[in-house]
Amino acid sequence: MIPLWLDAGYRFNPALYLGAFFQYGFGFVNTDKATLCKQDGISCSVHDLAFGANLHYHILPDAEFDPWIGAGFGYEFLTANVSGSTTILGQTITADGSTTIKGFQFLVLEAGGDFKATPAFAVGPFVNFALGKYTSYSSTANGTERSGDLQNTGLHEWLTLGVRGQYNL
């Protein structure tokens, strides 16, 4: 998945930030596992949407390089879509559906460092680790809708490495 992440918040003082985050991730479909997606005429896609709250502590807020750590929580929607038609062994197969699973990210840990390019703008590396549990689903297949609670689900994790820019108003 390739995520785009946006934070918006307020610094109570130079070291303490409280805010909200929004993330949209463009996913990749593993066609070795989803063999229908390999077929000509079939289109498959996946995306992830997460949002929540986070708190950052900036260790050296006045230095040229400001390392920081953070924690938060959120809610997540992971959606997979399939559409199109193909012929396999003389039979035409039509696929038109989507499934969304959703649940809480009850622990989001973050760390990074900001190199100050100007007094108001900084850029630097970051890492994010989110731990969550999907608890419900909704699905549409060829016009039929279903939804409900998931049973016997385990924890899932996301590890994100990236570069972020920061602009202080």
Side-chain angles (χ1 to χ4, degrees):
M1 178 172 71
I2 298 176
L4 298 176
W5 187 289
L6 177 66
D7 279 332
Y10 180 75
R11 282 207 184 186
F12 291 97
N13 60 48
L16 197 57
Y17 160 92
L18 178 64
F21 69 87
F22 173 83
Q23 177 239 292
Y24 182 88
F26 300 90
F28 298 98
V29 176
N30 181 349
T31 57
D32 290 336
K33 299 284 184 186
T35 56
L36 181 62
C37 296
K38 285 187 200 184
Q39 305 300 316
D40 289 335
I42 299 293
S43 174
C44 297
S45 65
V46 64
H47 66 269
D48 185 75
L49 178 82
F51 57 89
N54 55 9
L55 177 72
H56 293 175
Y57 176 73
H58 290 259
I59 298 166
L60 301 170
D62 296 325
E64 289 296 312
F65 178 73
D66 174 22
W68 56 270
I69 56 174
F73 61 91
Y75 198 78
E76 176 182 15
F77 299 82
L78 179 64
T79 301
N81 300 296
V82 61
S83 64
S85 63
T86 190
T87 302
I88 300 175
L89 300 174
Q91 279 193 321
T92 300
I93 297 173
T94 300
D96 179 25
S98 70
T99 298
T100 300
I101 54 176
K102 48 196 164 209
F104 284 99
Q105 292 180 335
F106 47 85
L107 179 63
V108 178
L109 299 176
E110 303 170 290
D114 298 331
F115 291 97
K116 290 187 175 74
T118 70
F121 180 72
V123 65
F126 78 95
V127 62
N128 170 296
F129 177 78
L131 184 64
K133 185 172 186 175
Y134 297 121
T135 56
S136 62
Y137 76 95
S138 60
S139 180
T140 302
N142 299 320
T144 302
E145 295 183 20
R146 301 174 111 175
S147 63
D149 293 332
L150 295 171
Q151 304 298 318
N152 302 320
T153 61
L155 299 177
H156 71 276
E157 330 55 51
W158 290 106
L159 178 64
T160 305
L161 304 171
V163 176
R164 77 179 204 135
Q166 173 187 306
Y167 183 75
N168 294 317
L169 298 175

